Amino acid sequence: DARVTQTPRHKVTEMGQEVTMRCQPILGHNTVFWYRQTMMQGLELLAYFRNRAPLDDSGMPKDRFSAEMPDATLATLKIQPSEPRDSAVYFCASGLVAGSTDTQYFGPGTRLTVL
Amino acid sequence: QQQVKQSPQSLIVQKGGISIINCAYENTAFDYFPWYQQFPGKGPALLIAIRPDVSEKKEGRFTISFNKSAKQFSLHIMDSQPGDSATYFCAAPHSGPFGNEKLTFGTGTRLTIIP
């Protein structure tokens, strides 16, 4: 049963520390998304990649957030330095954008708490 | 920038009843409107989606009704069951060069089915 995996599942850190979240997309998927979910803002798209190339990161605060895909099996989202307002659940999703297939498959999320 | 307005914010329905969640969207050149279901502690998962060359799509107890002229679509859950208790998100694509993969999500509806 193919699924998106994310690590860590939970992260508690102090303000100013660097946080790295990792995602392994479903094998064969060509598109990877990073979302942030909060009670106030709901589900927001931060960035996404097609065939490892960044397509859109307009939803991401550029001064402290960065997203990369070092290879087809790994996507990373980094926050440096972290702030309390970054506390949220971060989801990675992957999909195969081909023809009429548009389903995004979400991982279980990383719950980040910044103290 | 796409905006999606979802209502109600929360909904309580008796077991066996019909649950109805509504969404309205702004202009879009794309025709793909999914609904995602999220259980506590899990990532969202695609429930059902419609491409509005049809006005209705049904999968089991779940039906999407689409009104293109009004820019509205709704999710109907027939014979609602306690296992349907979850948060439901509608989504619509952004207008622009991104295709159907760049989605804006509604704010979510927390559905509770009571015995």
Side-chain angles (χ1 to χ4, degrees), chain A residues 17-38:
Chain A
Q17 296 299 304
E18 178 179 298
V19 175
T20 299
M21 290 168 271
R22 294 177 174 81
C23 166
Q24 182 172 7
I26 293 173
L27 188 65
H29 282 186
N30 61 0
T31 308
V32 174
F33 307 82
W34 282 105
Y35 289 92
R36 176 171 62 185
Q37 186 173 41
T38 61

Side-chain angles (χ1 to χ4, degrees), chain B residues 33-35 47-51 54-59 61-67 72-76:
Chain B
F33 298 91
W35 285 90
L47 180 65
I48 185 172
I50 192 168
R51 297 181 192 280
V54 296
S55 61
E56 185 176 283
K57 182 174 181 181
K58 185 175 181 178
E59 291 184 359
R61 297 184 293 107
F62 301 92
T63 300
I64 299 179
S65 297
F66 190 85
N67 186 332
Q72 294 177 347
F73 58 112
S74 59
L75 175 69
H76 295 232

Side-chain angles (χ1 to χ4, degrees), chain A residues 67-87:
Chain A
E68 296 179 344
M69 277 202 76
D71 61 60
T73 65
L74 177 64
T76 61
L77 179 67
K78 190 174 295 186
I79 308 174
Q80 168 61 25
S82 58
E83 298 180 1
R85 59 179 167 152
D86 301 330
S87 297

Side-chain angles (χ1 to χ4, degrees), chain A residues 9 33 35 37 43 45 48 50 55-56 58 91 97 100-104 106-108, chain B residues 32 36 38 41-46 51 89 98-103 105-107 110:
Chain A
R9 294 293 314 276
F33 307 82
Y35 289 92
Q37 186 173 41
L43 201 57
L45 178 66
Y48 78 104
R50 172 79 47 75
L55 275 193
D56 183 34
S58 58
F91 288 105
V97 179
S100 63
T101 303
D102 296 304
T103 303
Q104 297 185 22
F106 282 75
Chain B
Y32 172 70
Y36 279 76
Q38 184 179 26
K42 307 289 186 183
L46 180 68
R51 297 181 192 280
F89 295 92
F98 301 106
N100 287 342
E101 71 265 21
K102 185 171 180 179
L103 298 174
F105 285 83
T107 50
R110 180 172 288 186

Side-chain angles (χ1 to χ4, degrees), chain B residues 11-16 19 80-85 111-115:
Chain B
L11 181 63
I12 299 174
V13 175
Q14 201 119 27
K15 179 182 175 182
S19 304
S80 300
Q81 299 297 311
D84 298 330
S85 296
L111 174 65
T112 304
I113 308 300
I114 55 175

